[in-house]
Amino acid sequence: MRRRLSLEFALAVLFAGSVLISDRIGTGPENIAAGLLAVALPVLALSAWFFVCARNIAALRDFEKAVAVRAIAITSGVVLWVTTAWGLCSLHLGAPELPLALVAPLAAGIYSLVHAATARYFL
């Protein structure tokens, strides 16, 4: 379990690093190759992160899997609520727009909290 969580954490850090690197690469219509590279790096890291998370959940025993799926459902609702509320604040109150690249790390952080709370309640 610790090894699986360490791998997920490493992939989360890889995703964050690739987002920072893609920001440094520079984009724009004048340099399509750099733009494609700037998009490909974080998308590949996010894909690997998603694959490992899905594989780890599939490997759980039935009860643990039920707790994880419940946490995913709650997390989805919370992330949907937060992003919608933020978007409405941006639209009507002039708040800064939420960078969409931050939704995955936001969801991962909320999932960690919800899973810990759900696991304590049900275990």
Side-chain angles (χ1 to χ4, degrees):
M1 180 69 155
R2 186 171 292 166
R3 194 174 104 203
R4 283 188 275 182
L5 290 176
S6 297
L7 180 58
E8 285 185 37
F9 180 75
L11 288 168
V13 170
L14 176 67
F15 172 73
S18 66
V19 169
L20 292 173
I21 290 169
S22 71
D23 188 45
R24 299 270 188 221
I25 289 174
T27 58
E30 67 279 348
N31 195 349
I32 298 265
L36 288 173
L37 182 63
V39 170
L41 288 174
V43 167
L44 289 173
L46 183 63
S47 299
W49 186 13
F50 174 77
F51 176 77
V52 167
C53 289
R55 189 186 70 193
N56 288 344
I57 290 172
L60 295 173
R61 290 176 281 178
D62 288 340
F63 182 74
E64 294 170 331
K65 193 180 293 185
V67 171
V69 169
R70 181 174 296 207
I72 290 169
I74 293 168
T75 298
S76 298
V78 171
V79 169
L80 182 63
W81 183 88
V82 167
T83 55
T84 301
W86 191 316
L88 289 169
C89 287
S90 298
L91 184 66
H92 298 296
L93 299 175
E97 290 189 20
L98 176 69
L100 292 178
L102 297 181
V103 172
L106 172 69
I110 292 172
Y111 174 78
S112 297
L113 296 173
V114 169
H115 187 270
T118 305
R120 285 184 195 264
Y121 181 73
F122 288 104
L123 295 180

